[in-house]
Amino acid sequence: MYWLFLVAGCASDAPEWAVHHASLIPSETGLSGTQTWEFFSPAWARSGDPDAFVCARAQLVTGAVTAALPGCEGCTVAYTIDVAELESDCAAPLDTDTAYTTPRAIGLGDVPDALADLDPYPGRSLGWYLSVDGVEMEAYGFAYDEALDWAGDLGAPGWSTGQAYTLWPAYAWDLRD
């Protein structure tokens, strides 16, 4: 489904905000799926207006089960990951900026108390943790059964082999810094 963003069109403003999310399926030994970086113009922060969309990068994610890194609260599973470009409608330099391919590991554990108020599915989400240095993880957002987005109560809590999961961030990246 990563290709859907390519038909949305582009806003004329330079991006000031980025949202990073993923759709992943765990297996016995790893995981696979896609992650997407969506970029938005300054107007998006004020209104959340989808017309503020500028461009996106879709990437293939593959991973192998590994030991959890420090910082992953109640980590039940962790993965080292590799990221490869699939598609982008972004102009240079966003189309090849390596800052958007740097996650080295992810973990799934408890939703941190500091993010609990943002949890889209309390009691059904896991905490999503990310490491860019391969040494420590930081709380990043939420992981939940994709069925919750389209079937409400039919989504199951937890993390199970073969099930598709949405990984949704707790915040957007401010690119003005």
Side-chain angles (χ1 to χ4, degrees):
M1 298 225 194
Y2 63 88
W3 55 269
L4 291 177
F5 66 84
L6 296 176
V7 298
C10 294
S12 60
D13 294 311
E16 286 191 3
W17 297 95
V19 175
H20 173 219
H21 52 92
S23 175
L24 301 175
I25 300 172
S27 69
E28 293 290 326
T29 60
L31 58 75
S32 62
T34 60
Q35 71 176 13
T36 304
W37 285 93
E38 294 182 90
F39 300 93
F40 298 90
S41 71
W44 180 80
R46 294 184 297 278
S47 66
D49 185 351
D51 288 339
F53 175 81
V54 174
C55 67
R57 285 174 69 174
Q59 300 165 324
L60 178 66
V61 176
T62 55
V65 174
T66 190
L69 296 172
C72 186
E73 295 178 28
C75 215
T76 57
V77 66
Y79 303 89
T80 56
I81 62 170
D82 292 308
V83 177
E85 293 296 321
L86 286 173
E87 242 180 303
S88 175
D89 64 348
C90 294
L94 281 178
D95 62 336
T96 58
D97 189 334
T98 58
Y100 302 102
T101 61
T102 57
R104 296 293 165 236
I106 63 169
L108 291 303
D110 297 334
V111 173
D113 290 340
L115 302 180
D117 289 344
L118 302 172
D119 188 345
Y121 299 104
R124 294 192 172 194
S125 300
L126 295 169
W128 172 22
Y129 294 81
L130 187 106
S131 175
V132 296
D133 61 10
V135 175
E136 189 167 346
M137 290 188 174
E138 294 183 29
Y140 197 74
F142 313 96
Y144 55 86
D145 183 335
E146 283 187 359
L148 288 167
D149 281 338
W150 52 268
D153 288 340
L154 297 180
W159 187 257
S160 300
T161 297
Q163 178 61 47
Y165 291 91
T166 295
L167 280 65
W168 195 255
Y171 50 86
W173 290 92
D174 184 343
L175 303 178
R176 296 172 291 177
D177 295 337

